[in-house]
C-alpha cells in the first residue's frame, strides 16, 4: 500500500539538441547580475562556455564567474563562491557543468544572504535556509547525479574528513535545467560510466526498501531496464545519440523525487561511498560501484523477495525451478557482469583506500534505517573490509 505523500517538482526542463536556445527566454525572468559557475575547464574546451557567454552578452547581463569548481566540491571553495556572489550582488546563479557544479551552486544560493558558516549550518546541523535564496538555473554537461532536478547538494570538508549531502526543499531546486545530450558526448569514458553507475545505484537505493506492491518499484524496474540497454549501446559507441539521450533522461528520473514516493528508501551504498570519497576524493560513481556488491550480498537475505524480483524483472533471469535465494544470487551476479562490462571500479583499494583507513571511513559513514537491514558499526567495518 502506498503511504501518504506530497509530490511537487518545480524544475522546468528543456531537453534535446540545441536546448540551450531556451536559455535566452529564461534569463529574462531574472535580474541582471548573473553568477556563472563552472568546473575545471571542460566547458572551455568543448565550446559550451563560448555559447553560453554569447547568450549572456546578448541578454545584457552583468556577469561574474566562479571557475574551478572541483569534482566533490569543498567547503573552502563554497566560502570563496559565497564571497564572490555577495560582492557581485548576485540576482541569479547559472551553473554550467555536472553534478558538482549544480550542487555547489545550490549551496552558494542558500548562503549568499546568510551570515552563518554554510558548512556548519547546512552540512553539520542540517538546518533549513532561513534567508533569501538566490535562484539557480543549470546547463547540464554530465548525466548521473540528478542534481538538475532535485534539491540535493553534496559538499566535502577535507579537514573534517567528511562528505555530506543536504537535500534541500523545492525552493532550492533549479528553476530550470537545460539538458542537451550532445553536451555529454565529450565526457571521458571513465566519467560516463561512473555516471551510469550513479544512475543505477540511485534507483537501487530507492527500490531496495519495503515489501508492498508499489508503483514506484515498477517505474524503477523500467528505468533500470532502459539504462542497461542504453549503457551497453553507449559503451559500444559513445557518439550514439539515442543511447546518450536515454541515459540523460533516465538520470533525471532516477533522482527527481518521483520513484521514492511511498517508500522508506535505503541510501546505505551512498553513505558508504560518500565516506570513502571523504578519504580518497575519488569519483562519486566509482565509490558506489566499489562498495555495492559486498553491501548488497550482505543485506540480500533480509530482502530476499525483492532481490529475487530484481533478478527476474530487471536482469531477465529465468525463475523456472529456482528458489528465491538462488534467483537473488543470480540477479546480483548479472549486475556484477554488467558492472565489469562498464569497466567500473570494483574495490576501494583501487580508489586509494587501504586497511588503515577502514575505522575512519566507518566513523564517517552515516547509518540510515530505511533499507532491509539497519547496519551496526561492526557490519559497516566488515562491508568496507570486503570492499578492499
Ligand atoms: O570540471 P570539468 O573540467 O568540467 O570536468 C568534469 C569533472 O572532471 C568532467 N565533465 C563534466 N562534464 C563534461 C566533463 N568533461 C568533458 N565533457 C563534459 N561534457 O567530469 C568530471 C566529473 O564532474 P562532476 O560534476 O564532479 O560529476 P558528477 O556529475 O558525477 O557529480 C558528482 C558530485 O555530485 C554529488 C557527488 O557526491 C559529487 O560530489 N552528488 C549529487 C547528488 C544530488 N545532487 O542529488 C546525488 C549524487 O548521489 C551525488 O552524491
Ligand atoms: Zn549518487
Amino acid at each position: 500500500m502506498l503511504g501518504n505523500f506530497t509530490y511537487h517538482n518545480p524544475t522546468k526542463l528543456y531537453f534535446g539538441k540545441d536546448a540551450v536556445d531556451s536559455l535566452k527566454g529564461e534569463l529574462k525572468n531574472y535580474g541582471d547580475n548573473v553568477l556563472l559557475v563552472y568546473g575545471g575547464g571542460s566547458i572551455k574546451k568543448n565550446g559550451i562556455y563560448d555559447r553560453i557567454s554569447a547568450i549572456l552578452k546578448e541578454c545584457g547581463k552583468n556577469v561574474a564567474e566562479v571557475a574551478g569548481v572541483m569534482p566533490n566540491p569543498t567547503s573552502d571553495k563554497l566560502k570563496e563562491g559565497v564571497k564572490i556572489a555577495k560582492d557581485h550582488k548576485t540576482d541569479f546563479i547559472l551553473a554550467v557543468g555536472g553534478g558538482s557544479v549544480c550542487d555547489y551552486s545550490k549551496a552558494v544560493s542558500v548562503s549568499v544572504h546568510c551570515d552563518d558558516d554554510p558548512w556548519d549550518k547546512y552540512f553539520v546541523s542540517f538546518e533549513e535556509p532561513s534567508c533569501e535564496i538566490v535562484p539557480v538555473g543549470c546547463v547540464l554537461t554530465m548525466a548521473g547525479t540528478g542534481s538538475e532536478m532535485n534539491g540535493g547538494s553534496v559538499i566535502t570538508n577535507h579537514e573534517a574528513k567528511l562528505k555530506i549531502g543536504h537535500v534541500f526543499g523545492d525552493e532550492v531546486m533549479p528553476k530550470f535545467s537545460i539538458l542537451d545530450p550532445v553536451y555529454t558526448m565529450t565526457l571521458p569514458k571513465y566519467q560516463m560510466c561512473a555516471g551510469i553507475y550513479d544512475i543505477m545505484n540511485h534507483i537501487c537505493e530507492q527500490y531496495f526498501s519495503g515489501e508492498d506492491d508499489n508503483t514506484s518499484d515498477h517505474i524503477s524496474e523500467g528505468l533500470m531496464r532502459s539504462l542497461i540497454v542504453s549503457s551497453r549501446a553507449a559503451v559500444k559507441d559513445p557518439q550514439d545519440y539515442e543511447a546518450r539521450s536515454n541515459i540523460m533522461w533516465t538520470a533525471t528520473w532516477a533522482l527527481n523525487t518521483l520513484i521514492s514516493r511511498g517508500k522508506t528508501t535505503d541510501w546505505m551504498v551512498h553513505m558508504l561511498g560518500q565516506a570513502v570519497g571523504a578519504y580518497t576524493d575519488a569519483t562519486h560513481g566509482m565509490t558506489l560501484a566499489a562498495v555495492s556488491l559486498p553491501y548488497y550480498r550482505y543485506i540480500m537475505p533480509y530482502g530476499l523477495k525483492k532481490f529475487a524480483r530484481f533478478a527476474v524483472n530487471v536482469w531477465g533471469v529465468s525463475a523456472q525451478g529456482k528458489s528465491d535465494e538462488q534467483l537473488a544470487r543470480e540477479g546480483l551476479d548479472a549486475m556484477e557482469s554488467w558492472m565489469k562490462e562498464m569497466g567500473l571500479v570494483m574495490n576501494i583499494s583501487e580508489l586509494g583506500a587501504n586497511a588503515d583507513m577502514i575505522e575512519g571511513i566507518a566513523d564517517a559513514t552515516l547509518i540510515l534505517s530505511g533499507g532491509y537491514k539497519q547496519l551496526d558499526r561492526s557490519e559497516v567495518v566488515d562491508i568496507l573490509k570486503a570492499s578492499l
Side-chain angles (χ1 to χ4, degrees):
M1 190 190 72
L2 274 173
N4 297 7
F5 59 79
T6 302
Y7 180 72
H8 176 231
N9 192 316
T11 304
K12 183 172 184 177
L13 300 178
Y14 296 94
F15 188 94
K17 279 182 189 163
D18 295 317
V20 76
D21 289 345
S22 309
L23 181 57
K24 207 171 146 187
E26 278 295 338
L27 287 174
K28 287 189 184 129
N29 301 326
Y30 304 98
D32 283 341
N33 293 340
V34 173
L35 186 72
L36 175 63
V37 180
Y38 56 96
S42 69
I43 66 162
K44 290 208 165 162
K45 284 189 208 131
N46 57 24
I48 297 173
Y49 177 86
D50 289 343
R51 183 128 188 223
I52 303 276
S53 297
I55 294 169
L56 287 165
K57 200 170 164 199
E58 217 181 305
C59 295
K61 299 295 181 182
N62 171 26
V63 181
E65 294 190 1
V66 176
V69 175
M70 61 292 277
N72 311 319
T74 64
S75 48
D76 286 343
K77 185 73 183 174
L78 175 56
K79 278 189 192 156
E80 182 193 318
V82 171
K83 180 167 186 326
I84 296 172
K86 269 188 183 155
D87 292 348
H88 188 56
K89 299 195 168 37
T90 301
D91 298 311
F92 181 72
I93 302 175
L94 185 62
V96 185
S100 293
V101 170
C102 297
D103 280 18
Y104 175 87
S105 298
K106 290 177 216 169
V108 172
S109 81
V110 293
S111 307
V112 180
H113 296 289
C114 161
D115 294 328
D116 302 323
D117 179 277
W119 168 259
D120 288 340
K121 182 177 172 73
Y122 298 120
F123 301 95
V124 177
S125 308
F126 287 102
E127 285 177 37
E128 293 310 321
S130 47
C131 54
E132 186 189 331
I133 298 164
V134 181
V136 174
C138 297
V139 178
L140 194 67
T141 65
M142 161 151 181
T145 63
S147 188
E148 67 275 16
M149 205 184 186
N150 69 37
S153 174
V154 185
I155 298 295
T156 299
N157 184 323
H158 286 302
E159 217 181 314
K161 282 199 165 22
L162 289 171
K163 180 176 181 183
I164 296 177
H166 185 133
V167 182
F168 291 102
D170 294 359
E171 67 287 356
V172 183
M173 291 188 190
K175 300 295 171 209
F176 64 87
S177 283
I178 292 177
L179 278 61
D180 183 341
V182 174
Y183 283 10
T184 67
M185 288 194 182
T186 53
L187 272 171
K189 185 184 173 220
Y190 186 87
Q191 292 297 339
M192 177 184 84
C193 291
I196 287 168
Y197 190 71
D198 195 20
I199 302 166
M200 175 59 89
N201 192 251
H202 290 160
I203 305 170
C204 287
E205 297 276 30
Q206 296 164 91
Y207 181 73
F208 287 122
S209 67
E211 284 166 3
D212 54 331
D213 183 35
N214 185 312
T215 300
S216 295
D217 290 339
H218 291 275
I219 300 171
S220 291
E221 288 168 354
L223 290 172
M224 287 190 274
R225 286 196 300 270
S226 165
L227 183 66
I228 293 163
V229 172
S230 52
S231 62
R232 285 185 165 136
V235 163
K236 207 163 144 206
D237 175 12
Q239 301 305 307
D240 180 336
Y241 181 82
E242 184 172 84
R244 300 303 288 264
S245 57
N246 283 327
I247 290 169
M248 199 171 204
W249 194 221
T250 306
T252 304
W253 284 99
L255 195 51
N256 73 351
T257 71
L258 177 75
I259 61 170
S260 60
R261 292 311 90 182
K263 310 252 333 158
T264 53
T265 72
D266 182 345
W267 293 107
M268 273 317 294
V269 169
H270 271 67
M271 295 305 103
L272 290 158
Q274 278 175 208
V276 170
Y279 273 71
T280 61
D281 206 25
T283 297
H284 172 65
M286 295 305 183
T287 63
L288 307 176
V291 299
S292 278
L293 288 165
Y295 175 71
Y296 286 130
R297 288 193 169 121
Y298 183 74
I299 64 155
M300 191 189 87
Y302 304 93
L304 202 57
K305 285 222 170 305
K306 187 54 103 25
F307 279 93
R309 177 176 158 176
F310 175 66
V312 175
N313 291 359
V314 177
W315 297 100
V317 174
S318 160
Q320 217 174 8
K322 290 175 193 160
S323 65
D324 278 352
E325 198 186 333
Q326 196 176 351
L327 276 175
R329 253 190 282 111
E330 286 185 25
L332 289 178
D333 290 349
M335 183 161 86
E336 181 171 9
S337 305
W338 170 79
M339 290 169 78
K340 288 181 174 159
E341 249 177 90
M342 295 294 116
L344 299 171
V345 175
M346 304 297 279
N347 60 70
I348 59 175
S349 310
E350 218 179 293
L351 298 173
N354 59 46
D356 294 342
M357 293 179 186
I358 295 293
E359 295 294 329
I361 297 174
D363 286 340
T365 303
L366 209 62
I367 295 178
L368 304 177
S369 58
Y372 288 122
K373 162 88 176 81
Q374 182 167 359
L375 303 179
D376 61 31
R377 194 182 174 284
S378 71
E379 291 168 318
V380 169
V381 169
D382 289 345
I383 289 164
L384 289 169
K385 282 184 179 162
S387 307
L388 273 170

